[in-house]
Amino acid sequence: MTAPGWYPDPYYPQIERWWDGQNWGWQTRPRPAPLISMQPNLGVDAGKRPMGKVDEKVSSTGEATHVRDTDSEPPQEDQEAQPAQSRTRSPRWLLIAIVILALVAVGVQLARNDSSRSTSNTTAARTTLATPQPTVSRAAAPAVPPTSQVPTVSQAPAPAKPPAPTGPPAVGRSYRDGKFEFTVNSWDGTTVNLTVRNIGDRPQFLNTSAQYLYDTQNRRFEPSGDISSDLFLATLNPGQSVSGSLSYVLTGATPAYLELHDSMFSGGVKAPLR
């Protein structure tokens, strides 16, 4: 198995593609040009072609002649021209490939735009043909016949006064004791319906057993412990109110008034029932 690294692309040898050890990746880069040796050639004069080996031969006249062996080393210009040519061709092929890919992408996008435009135009035409706009005809307003009579202004009757509450004097009135305000909503002879509101600045517990009833003989009665009433064991926060009923067991007694208390130690307030 080949180790991960950069290798020549199997389809475009001018570039290198990343191999992760199992598959080719999408990362590419230009293939690097071969390195050119910058070491000076001792057998080459500046600005001249490289010289071959020099052999001395002695002629028949006794003079020494020098013969160059030009086949021992290739010309330096050919070695330098080949890397330069490879460096020039690689970017050119890469540029051509990029231009071709860009033209293909532009053509695909234009084809998609034309397809979406034709689809929208077809849908709009079908919608127009399928749902014709209804024509609404407006009827002319009926003509108002002229009149010379002056309209008479009728006076509205005065609002009727609400009927005075019937029943005991305490019904419909509010009474305050300490941190509670009591409103008597109704009284049927044995059961009173109350609305209690906390007018203080802290929570307050409502003691239902401290809401007394006195009869005409000044005898005191406590309400029966009805746990179904919302007033039973109610604790009210400031501004909170609760409504409920309290029932009294009266055996031949005639009720005179209610004595409503903030707590069992308060002075209480009287709500007359006669």
Side-chain angles (χ1 to χ4, degrees):
M1 182 179 293
T2 306
W6 294 95
Y7 295 97
D9 190 281
Y11 300 101
Y12 301 97
Q14 293 82 2
I15 61 174
E16 291 184 347
R17 186 175 295 275
W18 177 256
W19 173 263
D20 61 3
Q22 295 181 355
N23 299 305
W24 290 103
W26 60 268
Q27 302 90 341
T28 59
R29 68 178 185 181
R31 188 175 182 182
L35 298 177
I36 301 175
S37 175
M38 302 302 294
Q39 296 181 358
N41 191 348
L42 298 178
V44 181
D45 295 337
K48 297 181 179 180
R49 293 176 59 87
M51 304 298 292
K53 295 182 180 179
V54 179
D55 295 334
E56 293 184 357
K57 293 183 179 181
V58 180
S59 63
S60 60
T61 59
E63 296 179 356
T65 61
H66 301 278
V67 179
R68 295 184 181 89
D69 187 6
T70 59
D71 297 335
S72 60
E73 184 177 0
Q76 186 69 19
E77 293 180 358
D78 296 339
Q79 294 180 357
E80 294 179 355
Q82 184 176 0
Q85 184 177 3
S86 63
R87 290 196 304 271
T88 305
R89 290 180 179 179
S90 297
R92 181 181 300 174
W93 283 105
L94 180 59
L95 180 60
I96 293 174
I98 293 174
V99 171
I100 292 174
L101 292 176
L103 292 176
V104 171
V106 171
V108 172
Q109 186 64 30
L110 292 176
R112 289 181 179 177
N113 293 339
D114 294 339
S115 177
S116 62
R117 290 176 182 175
S118 61
T119 303
S120 61
N121 293 334
T122 304
T123 304
R126 291 178 180 177
T127 304
T128 304
L129 295 175
T131 56
Q133 297 294 332
T135 57
V136 180
S137 59
R138 297 182 179 179
V144 179
T147 178
S148 59
Q149 297 180 357
V150 179
T152 58
V153 179
S154 60
Q155 295 181 356
K161 295 182 180 180
T166 60
V171 175
R173 299 183 59 183
S174 299
Y175 303 89
R176 291 189 176 185
D177 181 66
K179 298 180 178 64
F180 282 150
E181 180 183 68
F182 301 90
T183 301
V184 180
N185 299 320
S186 65
W187 167 255
D188 62 0
T190 58
T191 302
V192 61
N193 184 274
L194 295 174
T195 297
V196 184
R197 185 168 66 93
N198 186 351
I199 59 175
D201 57 357
R202 63 190 63 186
Q204 183 72 12
F205 171 72
L206 175 63
N207 187 0
T208 54
S209 63
Q211 314 309 320
Y212 305 121
L213 182 144
Y214 286 83
D215 67 354
T216 54
Q217 299 179 16
N218 206 24
R219 292 181 298 180
R220 186 173 69 183
F221 297 83
E222 289 186 2
S224 59
D226 186 5
I227 62 175
S228 63
S229 175
D230 293 337
L231 300 177
F232 187 75
L233 299 179
T235 299
L236 304 180
N237 290 318
Q240 186 180 3
S241 62
V242 63
S243 298
S245 299
L246 297 176
S247 298
Y248 299 87
V249 178
L250 303 176
T251 305
T254 302
Y257 59 91
L258 294 169
E259 190 175 82
L260 307 174
H261 290 266
D262 168 80
S263 67
M264 65 174 57
F265 304 108
S266 67
V269 60
K270 294 181 179 181
L273 299 176
R274 292 176 59 87

